[in-house]
Structure formats: C-alpha cells, structure tokens
Amino acid sequence: MLKIISYKICPFVQRVTAMLEAKQMPYQIDYISLKDKPDWFLDVSPNGQVPVLITENGTALFESDAIVEYIDEIAPPMHPGLTPEQKAIERAWSYQAAKNYLVQCSTMRSHDKATLEERAEKLSALFGKAEQQLSGEGFFSGAQIGNVDMAWLPLLHRANIIERHAGYDFLKGFPTVKAWQKRLLETGLAEKSVSEDFEKLFVEFYLSDQTYLGSGKCCDSPKVDVCKTGACC
C-alpha cells in the first residue's frame, strides 16, 4: 500500500491525498511535526519537506508535483484520452494553484489589515484568472472532476473555512469561482483528504489572536451566527 508522510495542515499534502481519494486508491498516512522532524524522515526526504510518498516498492518520492504525476502514471486518469497539449494545459493550471499555496498561507497569517490586503491582491489576481477560464458548469475542465480541481481544492477549501469562521471572503467578486468551490466541496473530497481534526488545527493556527483574520476586525459582512460565537466580531 502507498504511504504518505504528512503534516496535518499542509496544502501540498492535501493535493496529493485528494487525488488519491478521487481515484479511490488505498493509502496509509503518517503524520509528523515539522518543528521536530524525525531523523528517519530526513533520511528519505532530500528537501526535508512534506509530502513524501513511499511506493509499494519502498521508494521515497518527494515534491508534490512529482508525486501527483506518479499517481497519474500508476492509476487510470480522471480525464482519459487527453492530447499532449491538453495534458500540458492541465499541468499549467495545476501549477498556478500550487505555487500560490504559500501565498495563501502567508495571507491568512497576516498580522494587520494592510498586510492582509496587500497579500490578498495576489490571490485575487489568481482567482480572477480562474474566473475567466471556468465555463460556469461542472468542474474546471468539464463535467468530470480532474487533476486541476485537485490542485485548486486546498485553496478553495481553506477559503471556505476562513469565510465560515471569520466572515472574510477571498472569493468576493468571483461568482463563477464561488460556484466551482461549492461544487468541489459538495463532492466530500475536502473532508476525506484531511485528518479529522484538520479544521480545529487550521483555525487555531490561522485564526489565532496573532492574526488579523482571527482578531474579529476583518469581516466583510459579519454573519450573525459567526459573531455570536465570538470567532468574528
């Protein structure tokens, strides 16, 4: 069985596990602390980062882009029959998402409004590109879910959690992306691709009192139920 070495709130890991879930491939997952990386992990991970995938042959694969390509090689593709050009386009749009995971992470950890707004502009530019690309129906490349959707899922899942808990909408002004986010979340893959305590750990880290989003001052349009909990206003 495939084994994933993971950190619980890492978006790069979620991209990999979401693909495994979408393809219904069995896997085992082991969690580590990035503050105290075990020696055995450093021995198999040249870059010292998660995810790492241990193949059934015991080979350690690293870098999420390489891992998802490997998974596509050993399992039937979600979009069979794509031409080389179409595959390249899907990889490019997947890369657009993955290279912004850390942008989203740093944005959510912003300590003040000015920093949040400055960093959020980069995400808005990204979501604006997707808004122009999406058809408005189904998923990114059509009626069937595919690799691009799995790459964007971590961004859209985290944006949804932030909106629900803090009232701040990263997708404001992008109705087509918002509808895509809804369809993706309705598949259940977001929950299946993370640990049971993922949302709790995520909120504790990104909506702590050290962040502007966690301070309760960020709400675009505060929701009554959110504010009653004290998580927002």
Side-chain angles (χ1 to χ4, degrees):
M1 183 182 295
L2 301 174
K3 179 189 289 188
I4 303 294
I5 311 301
S6 170
Y7 175 64
K8 286 189 174 181
I9 61 173
C10 175
F12 296 94
V13 172
Q14 187 180 15
R15 177 189 180 187
V16 171
T17 52
M19 177 172 280
L20 290 169
E21 291 288 347
K23 290 176 176 283
Q24 299 183 340
M25 298 176 66
Y27 62 97
Q28 175 185 340
I29 189 160
D30 290 344
Y31 298 105
I32 65 169
S33 169
L34 296 185
K35 292 182 179 179
D36 186 21
K37 300 173 185 176
D39 290 338
W40 63 262
F41 170 73
L42 296 174
D43 289 341
V44 300
S45 177
N47 61 7
Q49 299 173 346
V50 293
V52 168
L53 182 148
I54 309 298
T55 71
E56 293 180 350
N57 295 325
T59 302
L61 305 180
F62 62 103
E63 294 290 353
S64 60
D65 286 328
I67 291 172
V68 295
E69 288 187 18
Y70 170 77
I71 293 170
D72 241 5
E73 290 282 346
I74 65 173
M78 286 185 276
H79 287 163
L82 293 181
T83 66
E85 289 86 356
Q86 290 170 326
K87 290 180 181 179
I89 290 172
E90 287 208 344
R91 284 195 296 271
W93 278 104
S94 296
Y95 177 69
Q96 287 295 307
K99 75 177 185 178
N100 280 279
Y101 290 169
L102 296 183
V103 174
Q104 186 183 50
C105 290
S106 65
T107 302
M108 294 183 298
R109 285 289 294 177
S110 297
H111 296 296
D112 55 67
K113 182 178 181 180
T115 303
L116 174 71
E117 291 179 344
E118 179 183 355
R119 292 172 176 173
E121 286 181 5
K122 298 178 181 178
L123 290 174
S124 292
L126 174 70
F127 292 133
K129 294 175 183 177
E131 182 78 10
Q132 297 301 315
Q133 183 71 17
L134 291 163
S135 67
E137 299 179 0
F139 299 99
F140 190 89
S141 300
Q144 300 298 319
I145 203 163
N147 291 357
V148 181
D149 301 289
M150 297 304 94
W152 284 72
L153 180 61
L155 293 173
L156 299 175
H157 185 200
R158 285 156 173 75
N160 173 260
I161 295 173
I162 291 297
E163 183 181 9
R164 285 191 285 108
H165 285 270
Y168 185 88
D169 188 4
F170 282 109
L171 304 183
K172 184 178 180 180
F174 306 113
T176 308
V177 176
K178 191 83 170 178
W180 177 36
Q181 177 197 50
K182 182 175 184 293
R183 288 190 290 272
L184 268 179
L185 295 180
E186 286 174 347
T187 67
L189 287 170
E191 289 79 12
K192 291 178 181 178
S193 60
V194 294
S195 64
E196 290 184 359
D197 57 351
F198 166 79
E199 188 160 330
K200 175 179 179 293
L201 296 173
F202 177 90
V203 169
E204 288 176 352
F205 185 70
Y206 288 108
L207 296 179
S208 72
D209 55 11
Q210 298 176 351
T211 70
Y212 183 72
L213 286 172
S215 69
K217 301 175 182 178
C218 60
C219 303
D220 288 334
S221 52
K223 298 178 181 179
V224 173
D225 57 341
V226 175
C227 293
K228 280 183 178 178
T229 68
C232 178
C233 305

